[in-house]
Every structure is written in C-alpha cells, then in structure tokens.
Amino acid sequence: IYIADKSISLAEVCPAVQAIAASNPSQSVFVRADTSVPYGVVAEVLCRLSSCLSSREVVLIIHDTDP
C-alpha cells in the first residue's frame, strides 16, 4: 500500500489519509491497483477509506488489461 510514493501498512491507511484530508478538504481519494494485488486487499483498503472518510469521494481506478 502506497500513499504519495510512501509505503504504509494497512493499519496506517486511515491515519495517513486523514492527515492529508485535513490539509486539503476538497481532495478526492483515488485508489489504483494492478492485477498483482489480491482483491481482498483492495476491498479492505476501500472499506477502511469508506469508514474513515465517510464524507469524501473515494474513486477506484480500473485499467484495462487487454493488449
């Protein structure tokens, strides 16, 4: 899990994002994952973001993997 090119643990997701959100209240949150990330990890990150940033837009970015 990375935020602004910094590796963090799952437990650090909410505190890290809340700190950024406090300094930029209008910023949306974008989540991007590639096929090497298990779906369960992506789902857990989305759940945590949803619970700790309930008033903020969270966007999942999906890239087409077809050549």
Short mmCIF file of all heavy atoms in Angstrom, two decimals:
data_model
loop_
_atom_site.label_atom_id
_atom_site.label_comp_id
_atom_site.label_asym_id
_atom_site.label_seq_id
_atom_site.Cartn_x
_atom_site.Cartn_y
_atom_site.Cartn_z
N ILE A 1 0.86 -1.17 0.00
CA ILE A 1 0.00 0.00 0.00
C ILE A 1 0.91 1.23 0.00
O ILE A 1 1.83 1.31 0.82
CB ILE A 1 -0.93 0.01 1.23
CG1 ILE A 1 -1.80 -1.24 1.24
CG2 ILE A 1 -1.78 1.28 1.24
CD1 ILE A 1 -2.57 -1.45 2.52
N TYR A 2 0.61 2.14 -0.91
CA TYR A 2 1.42 3.36 -1.03
C TYR A 2 0.51 4.58 -1.00
O TYR A 2 -0.57 4.57 -1.58
CB TYR A 2 2.19 3.38 -2.35
CG TYR A 2 3.33 2.40 -2.38
CD1 TYR A 2 3.13 1.09 -2.74
CD2 TYR A 2 4.61 2.81 -2.04
CE1 TYR A 2 4.18 0.19 -2.76
CE2 TYR A 2 5.67 1.91 -2.05
CZ TYR A 2 5.44 0.60 -2.42
OH TYR A 2 6.48 -0.28 -2.44
N ILE A 3 0.97 5.60 -0.35
CA ILE A 3 0.35 6.92 -0.40
C ILE A 3 1.45 7.90 -0.75
O ILE A 3 2.45 8.01 -0.03
CB ILE A 3 -0.31 7.31 0.94
CG1 ILE A 3 -1.48 6.36 1.23
CG2 ILE A 3 -0.78 8.76 0.91
CD1 ILE A 3 -2.22 6.65 2.51
N ALA A 4 1.27 8.55 -1.89
CA ALA A 4 2.26 9.52 -2.38
C ALA A 4 3.67 8.91 -2.40
O ALA A 4 4.60 9.48 -1.86
CB ALA A 4 2.22 10.79 -1.56
N ASP A 5 3.79 7.73 -2.97
CA ASP A 5 5.06 7.02 -3.13
C ASP A 5 5.69 6.55 -1.82
O ASP A 5 6.85 6.17 -1.79
CB ASP A 5 6.08 7.86 -3.91
CG ASP A 5 5.62 8.12 -5.33
OD1 ASP A 5 4.96 7.23 -5.91
OD2 ASP A 5 5.92 9.19 -5.86
N LYS A 6 4.94 6.60 -0.72
CA LYS A 6 5.45 6.12 0.57
C LYS A 6 4.71 4.84 0.95
O LYS A 6 3.49 4.81 0.97
CB LYS A 6 5.23 7.18 1.65
CG LYS A 6 5.73 6.74 3.01
CD LYS A 6 5.43 7.76 4.08
CE LYS A 6 5.87 7.21 5.42
NZ LYS A 6 5.20 7.86 6.53
N SER A 7 5.46 3.79 1.22
CA SER A 7 4.88 2.51 1.61
C SER A 7 4.34 2.60 3.04
O SER A 7 5.03 3.08 3.94
CB SER A 7 5.94 1.42 1.53
OG SER A 7 5.41 0.18 1.93
N ILE A 8 3.09 2.14 3.22
CA ILE A 8 2.48 2.12 4.56
C ILE A 8 1.79 0.78 4.78
O ILE A 8 1.50 0.06 3.83
CB ILE A 8 1.47 3.28 4.76
CG1 ILE A 8 0.29 3.13 3.79
CG2 ILE A 8 2.13 4.63 4.62
CD1 ILE A 8 -0.87 4.05 4.12
N SER A 9 1.51 0.49 6.04
CA SER A 9 0.78 -0.74 6.37
C SER A 9 -0.72 -0.48 6.28
O SER A 9 -1.17 0.68 6.26
CB SER A 9 1.14 -1.20 7.78
OG SER A 9 0.59 -0.30 8.73
N LEU A 10 -1.50 -1.54 6.25
CA LEU A 10 -2.95 -1.41 6.23
C LEU A 10 -3.45 -0.64 7.45
O LEU A 10 -4.36 0.19 7.34
CB LEU A 10 -3.59 -2.80 6.16
CG LEU A 10 -5.09 -2.87 5.94
CD1 LEU A 10 -5.50 -2.13 4.67
CD2 LEU A 10 -5.53 -4.31 5.89
N ALA A 11 -2.83 -0.85 8.59
CA ALA A 11 -3.22 -0.15 9.82
C ALA A 11 -2.96 1.35 9.73
O ALA A 11 -3.60 2.13 10.44
CB ALA A 11 -2.47 -0.73 11.01
N GLU A 12 -2.05 1.76 8.88
CA GLU A 12 -1.71 3.18 8.75
C GLU A 12 -2.55 3.92 7.72
O GLU A 12 -2.43 5.13 7.59
CB GLU A 12 -0.24 3.32 8.35
CG GLU A 12 0.74 2.82 9.40
CD GLU A 12 2.16 2.79 8.89
OE1 GLU A 12 2.42 2.10 7.87
OE2 GLU A 12 3.00 3.46 9.50
N VAL A 13 -3.41 3.20 6.99
CA VAL A 13 -4.18 3.83 5.92
C VAL A 13 -5.03 5.00 6.43
O VAL A 13 -4.93 6.12 5.93
CB VAL A 13 -5.06 2.79 5.18
CG1 VAL A 13 -6.08 3.47 4.27
CG2 VAL A 13 -4.19 1.85 4.37
N CYS A 14 -5.87 4.76 7.42
CA CYS A 14 -6.76 5.82 7.89
C CYS A 14 -6.01 7.01 8.48
O CYS A 14 -6.27 8.15 8.08
CB CYS A 14 -7.79 5.28 8.88
SG CYS A 14 -9.17 4.48 8.03
N PRO A 15 -5.08 6.80 9.40
CA PRO A 15 -4.36 7.97 9.93
C PRO A 15 -3.64 8.77 8.84
O PRO A 15 -3.66 10.01 8.86
CB PRO A 15 -3.37 7.37 10.92
CG PRO A 15 -3.94 6.06 11.31
CD PRO A 15 -4.68 5.57 10.10
N ALA A 16 -3.03 8.07 7.89
CA ALA A 16 -2.29 8.77 6.83
C ALA A 16 -3.23 9.58 5.94
O ALA A 16 -2.97 10.75 5.62
CB ALA A 16 -1.50 7.77 5.99
N VAL A 17 -4.34 8.97 5.55
CA VAL A 17 -5.29 9.66 4.66
C VAL A 17 -6.01 10.78 5.40
O VAL A 17 -6.26 11.84 4.84
CB VAL A 17 -6.27 8.64 4.05
CG1 VAL A 17 -7.38 9.33 3.29
CG2 VAL A 17 -5.52 7.69 3.13
N GLN A 18 -6.33 10.57 6.66
CA GLN A 18 -6.98 11.62 7.44
C GLN A 18 -6.07 12.84 7.60
O GLN A 18 -6.53 13.98 7.56
CB GLN A 18 -7.43 11.09 8.79
CG GLN A 18 -8.63 10.19 8.68
CD GLN A 18 -8.99 9.49 9.98
OE1 GLN A 18 -8.12 9.16 10.78
NE2 GLN A 18 -10.27 9.26 10.18
N ALA A 19 -4.78 12.61 7.77
CA ALA A 19 -3.83 13.73 7.89
C ALA A 19 -3.78 14.52 6.59
O ALA A 19 -3.77 15.76 6.60
CB ALA A 19 -2.45 13.21 8.24
N ILE A 20 -3.77 13.83 5.47
CA ILE A 20 -3.76 14.52 4.18
C ILE A 20 -5.09 15.25 3.96
O ILE A 20 -5.12 16.39 3.51
CB ILE A 20 -3.50 13.52 3.03
CG1 ILE A 20 -2.08 12.96 3.14
CG2 ILE A 20 -3.72 14.17 1.67
CD1 ILE A 20 -1.82 11.76 2.25
N ALA A 21 -6.19 14.60 4.31
CA ALA A 21 -7.52 15.19 4.14
C ALA A 21 -7.69 16.46 4.97
O ALA A 21 -8.34 17.41 4.53
CB ALA A 21 -8.59 14.17 4.51
N ALA A 22 -7.09 16.49 6.14
CA ALA A 22 -7.21 17.67 6.99
C ALA A 22 -6.57 18.90 6.34
O ALA A 22 -7.06 20.02 6.50
CB ALA A 22 -6.57 17.40 8.35
N SER A 23 -5.50 18.67 5.59
CA SER A 23 -4.82 19.81 4.96
C SER A 23 -5.41 20.16 3.59
O SER A 23 -5.10 21.20 3.04
CB SER A 23 -3.32 19.53 4.83
OG SER A 23 -3.11 18.45 3.94
N ASN A 24 -6.25 19.28 3.03
CA ASN A 24 -6.84 19.53 1.72
C ASN A 24 -8.26 18.96 1.70
O ASN A 24 -8.50 17.90 1.13
CB ASN A 24 -5.97 18.91 0.62
CG ASN A 24 -6.36 19.39 -0.75
OD1 ASN A 24 -7.37 20.06 -0.92
ND2 ASN A 24 -5.57 19.05 -1.73
N PRO A 25 -9.21 19.68 2.30
CA PRO A 25 -10.57 19.15 2.47
C PRO A 25 -11.33 18.83 1.18
O PRO A 25 -12.24 18.02 1.20
CB PRO A 25 -11.29 20.26 3.24
CG PRO A 25 -10.25 21.18 3.73
CD PRO A 25 -9.03 20.97 2.91
N SER A 26 -10.97 19.42 0.07
CA SER A 26 -11.72 19.17 -1.16
C SER A 26 -11.11 18.08 -2.03
O SER A 26 -11.66 17.74 -3.08
CB SER A 26 -11.83 20.47 -1.96
OG SER A 26 -10.55 20.90 -2.37
N GLN A 27 -10.01 17.50 -1.61
CA GLN A 27 -9.31 16.48 -2.41
C GLN A 27 -10.07 15.15 -2.41
O GLN A 27 -10.46 14.66 -1.36
CB GLN A 27 -7.91 16.25 -1.85
CG GLN A 27 -7.11 15.20 -2.57
CD GLN A 27 -6.72 15.63 -3.97
OE1 GLN A 27 -6.31 16.75 -4.15
NE2 GLN A 27 -6.86 14.75 -4.93
N SER A 28 -10.29 14.60 -3.59
CA SER A 28 -10.86 13.25 -3.70
C SER A 28 -9.77 12.23 -3.42
O SER A 28 -8.58 12.54 -3.49
CB SER A 28 -11.42 13.03 -5.10
OG SER A 28 -12.50 13.87 -5.34
N VAL A 29 -10.17 11.01 -3.13
CA VAL A 29 -9.23 9.93 -2.88
C VAL A 29 -9.32 8.95 -4.04
O VAL A 29 -10.41 8.49 -4.39
CB VAL A 29 -9.55 9.21 -1.55
CG1 VAL A 29 -8.63 8.02 -1.34
CG2 VAL A 29 -9.46 10.19 -0.39
N PHE A 30 -8.19 8.64 -4.65
CA PHE A 30 -8.14 7.71 -5.77
C PHE A 30 -7.39 6.46 -5.35
O PHE A 30 -6.31 6.55 -4.76
CB PHE A 30 -7.43 8.35 -6.97
CG PHE A 30 -8.17 9.54 -7.51
CD1 PHE A 30 -7.92 10.81 -7.03
CD2 PHE A 30 -9.12 9.37 -8.50
CE1 PHE A 30 -8.60 11.91 -7.52
CE2 PHE A 30 -9.82 10.47 -9.00
CZ PHE A 30 -9.56 11.74 -8.51
N VAL A 31 -7.97 5.31 -5.64
CA VAL A 31 -7.35 4.02 -5.33
C VAL A 31 -7.04 3.34 -6.66
O VAL A 31 -7.91 3.21 -7.51
CB VAL A 31 -8.29 3.14 -4.48
CG1 VAL A 31 -7.67 1.77 -4.24
CG2 VAL A 31 -8.63 3.83 -3.17
N ARG A 32 -5.80 2.92 -6.81
CA ARG A 32 -5.39 2.23 -8.03
C ARG A 32 -4.68 0.94 -7.62
O ARG A 32 -3.86 0.93 -6.72
CB ARG A 32 -4.45 3.13 -8.83
CG ARG A 32 -3.96 2.50 -10.10
CD ARG A 32 -3.10 3.43 -10.93
NE ARG A 32 -2.08 4.05 -10.11
CZ ARG A 32 -1.58 5.26 -10.33
NH1 ARG A 32 -2.02 5.98 -11.33
NH2 ARG A 32 -0.65 5.76 -9.55
N ALA A 33 -5.02 -0.14 -8.31
CA ALA A 33 -4.38 -1.43 -8.05
C ALA A 33 -4.18 -2.15 -9.37
O ALA A 33 -4.95 -1.97 -10.30
CB ALA A 33 -5.24 -2.27 -7.12
N ASP A 34 -3.13 -2.95 -9.41
CA ASP A 34 -2.93 -3.76 -10.61
C ASP A 34 -3.29 -5.20 -10.30
O ASP A 34 -3.70 -5.54 -9.19
CB ASP A 34 -1.52 -3.60 -11.16
CG ASP A 34 -0.44 -4.02 -10.18
OD1 ASP A 34 -0.66 -5.00 -9.43
OD2 ASP A 34 0.63 -3.40 -10.17
N THR A 35 -3.14 -6.07 -11.28
CA THR A 35 -3.57 -7.46 -11.12
C THR A 35 -2.73 -8.26 -10.13
O THR A 35 -3.12 -9.35 -9.74
CB THR A 35 -3.58 -8.19 -12.48
OG1 THR A 35 -2.28 -8.09 -13.06
CG2 THR A 35 -4.60 -7.58 -13.42
N SER A 36 -1.60 -7.72 -9.70
CA SER A 36 -0.78 -8.45 -8.72
C SER A 36 -1.30 -8.28 -7.30
O SER A 36 -0.88 -9.00 -6.40
CB SER A 36 0.68 -7.98 -8.80
OG SER A 36 0.81 -6.66 -8.33
N VAL A 37 -2.24 -7.37 -7.09
CA VAL A 37 -2.78 -7.13 -5.75
C VAL A 37 -4.04 -7.99 -5.57
O VAL A 37 -4.96 -7.90 -6.37
CB VAL A 37 -3.15 -5.64 -5.56
CG1 VAL A 37 -3.74 -5.40 -4.19
CG2 VAL A 37 -1.94 -4.76 -5.79
N PRO A 38 -4.07 -8.83 -4.54
CA PRO A 38 -5.26 -9.65 -4.31
C PRO A 38 -6.50 -8.77 -4.07
O PRO A 38 -6.41 -7.73 -3.41
CB PRO A 38 -4.92 -10.45 -3.05
CG PRO A 38 -3.43 -10.42 -2.96
CD PRO A 38 -3.02 -9.11 -3.57
N TYR A 39 -7.63 -9.22 -4.61
CA TYR A 39 -8.86 -8.44 -4.48
C TYR A 39 -9.20 -8.15 -3.02
O TYR A 39 -9.67 -7.06 -2.69
CB TYR A 39 -10.04 -9.17 -5.14
CG TYR A 39 -11.32 -8.42 -4.96
CD1 TYR A 39 -11.60 -7.27 -5.70
CD2 TYR A 39 -12.25 -8.83 -4.01
CE1 TYR A 39 -12.76 -6.57 -5.51
CE2 TYR A 39 -13.43 -8.12 -3.81
CZ TYR A 39 -13.68 -6.99 -4.56
OH TYR A 39 -14.83 -6.29 -4.37
N GLY A 40 -8.94 -9.10 -2.13
CA GLY A 40 -9.25 -8.89 -0.71
C GLY A 40 -8.52 -7.69 -0.12
O GLY A 40 -9.06 -6.98 0.72
N VAL A 41 -7.29 -7.45 -0.54
CA VAL A 41 -6.52 -6.30 -0.06
C VAL A 41 -7.15 -5.01 -0.57
O VAL A 41 -7.33 -4.04 0.18
CB VAL A 41 -5.04 -6.40 -0.49
CG1 VAL A 41 -4.27 -5.13 -0.13
CG2 VAL A 41 -4.39 -7.62 0.14
N VAL A 42 -7.51 -4.99 -1.85
CA VAL A 42 -8.16 -3.81 -2.42
C VAL A 42 -9.48 -3.53 -1.69
O VAL A 42 -9.76 -2.40 -1.32
CB VAL A 42 -8.40 -3.98 -3.93
CG1 VAL A 42 -9.16 -2.80 -4.51
CG2 VAL A 42 -7.09 -4.18 -4.67
N ALA A 43 -10.26 -4.57 -1.47
CA ALA A 43 -11.54 -4.42 -0.78
C ALA A 43 -11.34 -3.89 0.64
O ALA A 43 -12.09 -3.02 1.10
CB ALA A 43 -12.28 -5.75 -0.75
N GLU A 44 -10.34 -4.39 1.34
CA GLU A 44 -10.07 -3.92 2.71
C GLU A 44 -9.66 -2.45 2.72
O GLU A 44 -10.11 -1.68 3.58
CB GLU A 44 -8.99 -4.78 3.37
CG GLU A 44 -8.70 -4.41 4.80
CD GLU A 44 -9.88 -4.58 5.75
OE1 GLU A 44 -10.73 -5.46 5.52
OE2 GLU A 44 -9.96 -3.81 6.73
N VAL A 45 -8.82 -2.05 1.79
CA VAL A 45 -8.43 -0.63 1.71
C VAL A 45 -9.66 0.23 1.43
O VAL A 45 -9.86 1.26 2.08
CB VAL A 45 -7.35 -0.42 0.63
CG1 VAL A 45 -7.13 1.07 0.36
CG2 VAL A 45 -6.04 -1.08 1.04
N LEU A 46 -10.50 -0.18 0.49
CA LEU A 46 -11.71 0.58 0.18
C LEU A 46 -12.63 0.68 1.39
O LEU A 46 -13.20 1.75 1.67
CB LEU A 46 -12.45 -0.04 -1.00
CG LEU A 46 -11.76 0.09 -2.35
CD1 LEU A 46 -12.49 -0.76 -3.40
CD2 LEU A 46 -11.68 1.54 -2.79
N CYS A 47 -12.80 -0.41 2.13
CA CYS A 47 -13.64 -0.40 3.34
C CYS A 47 -13.09 0.56 4.38
O CYS A 47 -13.84 1.33 4.99
CB CYS A 47 -13.76 -1.80 3.93
SG CYS A 47 -14.83 -2.89 2.99
N ARG A 48 -11.80 0.51 4.59
CA ARG A 48 -11.19 1.41 5.58
C ARG A 48 -11.33 2.87 5.17
O ARG A 48 -11.64 3.73 5.99
CB ARG A 48 -9.72 1.05 5.82
CG ARG A 48 -9.58 -0.22 6.60
CD ARG A 48 -8.14 -0.58 6.85
NE ARG A 48 -8.07 -1.89 7.45
CZ ARG A 48 -7.46 -2.15 8.60
NH1 ARG A 48 -6.82 -1.20 9.23
NH2 ARG A 48 -7.45 -3.36 9.08
N LEU A 49 -11.11 3.14 3.89
CA LEU A 49 -11.26 4.52 3.41
C LEU A 49 -12.70 4.99 3.55
O LEU A 49 -12.95 6.12 3.96
CB LEU A 49 -10.81 4.63 1.95
CG LEU A 49 -9.33 4.51 1.70
CD1 LEU A 49 -9.05 4.45 0.20
CD2 LEU A 49 -8.55 5.65 2.35
N SER A 50 -13.62 4.13 3.23
CA SER A 50 -15.03 4.47 3.35
C SER A 50 -15.42 4.79 4.78
O SER A 50 -16.17 5.73 5.04
CB SER A 50 -15.88 3.31 2.82
OG SER A 50 -17.24 3.59 2.96
N SER A 51 -14.88 4.04 5.73
CA SER A 51 -15.23 4.27 7.13
C SER A 51 -14.53 5.48 7.73
O SER A 51 -15.11 6.19 8.55
CB SER A 51 -14.95 3.03 7.97
OG SER A 51 -13.56 2.80 8.07
N CYS A 52 -13.31 5.76 7.32
CA CYS A 52 -12.60 6.89 7.94
C CYS A 52 -12.76 8.20 7.17
O CYS A 52 -12.42 9.26 7.69
CB CYS A 52 -11.12 6.56 8.16
SG CYS A 52 -10.13 6.36 6.69
N LEU A 53 -13.29 8.12 5.95
CA LEU A 53 -13.52 9.32 5.15
C LEU A 53 -14.95 9.32 4.61
O LEU A 53 -15.18 9.50 3.42
CB LEU A 53 -12.54 9.38 3.97
CG LEU A 53 -11.07 9.46 4.31
CD1 LEU A 53 -10.23 9.34 3.04
CD2 LEU A 53 -10.76 10.77 5.02
N SER A 54 -15.90 9.15 5.48
CA SER A 54 -17.29 8.94 5.06
C SER A 54 -17.87 10.11 4.25
O SER A 54 -18.77 9.91 3.45
CB SER A 54 -18.17 8.66 6.27
OG SER A 54 -18.10 9.74 7.19
N SER A 55 -17.36 11.30 4.43
CA SER A 55 -17.92 12.45 3.71
C SER A 55 -17.13 12.79 2.44
O SER A 55 -17.37 13.80 1.81
CB SER A 55 -17.94 13.67 4.63
OG SER A 55 -16.61 14.03 4.97
N ARG A 56 -16.23 11.93 2.05
CA ARG A 56 -15.34 12.21 0.92
C ARG A 56 -15.54 11.19 -0.19
O ARG A 56 -15.85 10.04 0.04
CB ARG A 56 -13.90 12.15 1.42
CG ARG A 56 -12.93 12.89 0.54
CD ARG A 56 -11.60 12.90 1.25
NE ARG A 56 -11.59 13.88 2.28
CZ ARG A 56 -11.05 15.08 2.15
NH1 ARG A 56 -10.49 15.42 1.04
NH2 ARG A 56 -11.06 15.93 3.15
N GLU A 57 -15.33 11.65 -1.42
CA GLU A 57 -15.43 10.76 -2.57
C GLU A 57 -14.19 9.86 -2.64
O GLU A 57 -13.07 10.34 -2.55
CB GLU A 57 -15.52 11.60 -3.84
CG GLU A 57 -15.64 10.78 -5.10
CD GLU A 57 -15.75 11.64 -6.34
OE1 GLU A 57 -15.09 12.69 -6.42
OE2 GLU A 57 -16.51 11.24 -7.22
N VAL A 58 -14.40 8.57 -2.78
CA VAL A 58 -13.33 7.60 -2.98
C VAL A 58 -13.55 6.97 -4.35
O VAL A 58 -14.61 6.43 -4.63
CB VAL A 58 -13.32 6.51 -1.88
CG1 VAL A 58 -12.24 5.48 -2.15
CG2 VAL A 58 -13.12 7.14 -0.51
N VAL A 59 -12.53 7.04 -5.21
CA VAL A 59 -12.65 6.59 -6.60
C VAL A 59 -11.71 5.42 -6.83
O VAL A 59 -10.53 5.51 -6.50
CB VAL A 59 -12.31 7.74 -7.58
CG1 VAL A 59 -12.39 7.27 -9.01
CG2 VAL A 59 -13.19 8.95 -7.33
N LEU A 60 -12.23 4.35 -7.40
CA LEU A 60 -11.41 3.20 -7.78
C LEU A 60 -11.07 3.35 -9.25
O LEU A 60 -11.96 3.44 -10.09
CB LEU A 60 -12.16 1.89 -7.53
CG LEU A 60 -11.47 0.61 -7.96
CD1 LEU A 60 -10.14 0.43 -7.24
CD2 LEU A 60 -12.39 -0.58 -7.72
N ILE A 61 -9.78 3.36 -9.57
CA ILE A 61 -9.32 3.48 -10.94
C ILE A 61 -9.04 2.09 -11.48
O ILE A 61 -8.28 1.33 -10.89
CB ILE A 61 -8.04 4.35 -11.03
CG1 ILE A 61 -8.32 5.75 -10.50
CG2 ILE A 61 -7.52 4.39 -12.45
CD1 ILE A 61 -7.08 6.60 -10.34
N ILE A 62 -9.68 1.76 -12.59
CA ILE A 62 -9.51 0.45 -13.20
C ILE A 62 -8.88 0.61 -14.55
O ILE A 62 -9.32 1.42 -15.38
CB ILE A 62 -10.88 -0.25 -13.33
CG1 ILE A 62 -11.53 -0.41 -11.97
CG2 ILE A 62 -10.73 -1.58 -14.03
CD1 ILE A 62 -12.95 -0.86 -12.01
N HIS A 63 -7.80 -0.12 -14.79
CA HIS A 63 -7.11 -0.09 -16.07
C HIS A 63 -7.43 -1.36 -16.85
O HIS A 63 -7.39 -2.45 -16.28
CB HIS A 63 -5.59 0.01 -15.88
CG HIS A 63 -5.17 1.30 -15.28
ND1 HIS A 63 -5.04 2.44 -16.01
CD2 HIS A 63 -4.87 1.64 -14.01
CE1 HIS A 63 -4.67 3.43 -15.23
NE2 HIS A 63 -4.55 2.98 -14.00
N ASP A 64 -7.73 -1.21 -18.12
CA ASP A 64 -7.97 -2.36 -18.98
C ASP A 64 -6.68 -3.13 -19.14
O ASP A 64 -5.64 -2.55 -19.45
CB ASP A 64 -8.48 -1.87 -20.33
CG ASP A 64 -8.92 -2.99 -21.23
OD1 ASP A 64 -8.94 -4.15 -20.78
OD2 ASP A 64 -9.28 -2.70 -22.38
N THR A 65 -6.72 -4.44 -18.94
CA THR A 65 -5.51 -5.25 -19.03
C THR A 65 -5.38 -5.97 -20.38
O THR A 65 -4.42 -6.66 -20.62
CB THR A 65 -5.44 -6.30 -17.91
OG1 THR A 65 -6.62 -7.12 -17.98
CG2 THR A 65 -5.36 -5.63 -16.55
N ASP A 66 -6.39 -5.79 -21.25
CA ASP A 66 -6.30 -6.39 -22.58
C ASP A 66 -5.28 -5.64 -23.44
O ASP A 66 -5.20 -4.42 -23.38
CB ASP A 66 -7.66 -6.35 -23.28
CG ASP A 66 -8.65 -7.29 -22.64
OD1 ASP A 66 -8.21 -8.30 -22.05
OD2 ASP A 66 -9.86 -7.04 -22.73
N PRO A 67 -4.50 -6.39 -24.22
CA PRO A 67 -3.50 -5.72 -25.08
C PRO A 67 -4.12 -4.90 -26.19
O PRO A 67 -5.19 -5.01 -26.56
CB PRO A 67 -2.68 -6.87 -25.67
CG PRO A 67 -3.40 -8.13 -25.32
CD PRO A 67 -4.46 -7.81 -24.34
#
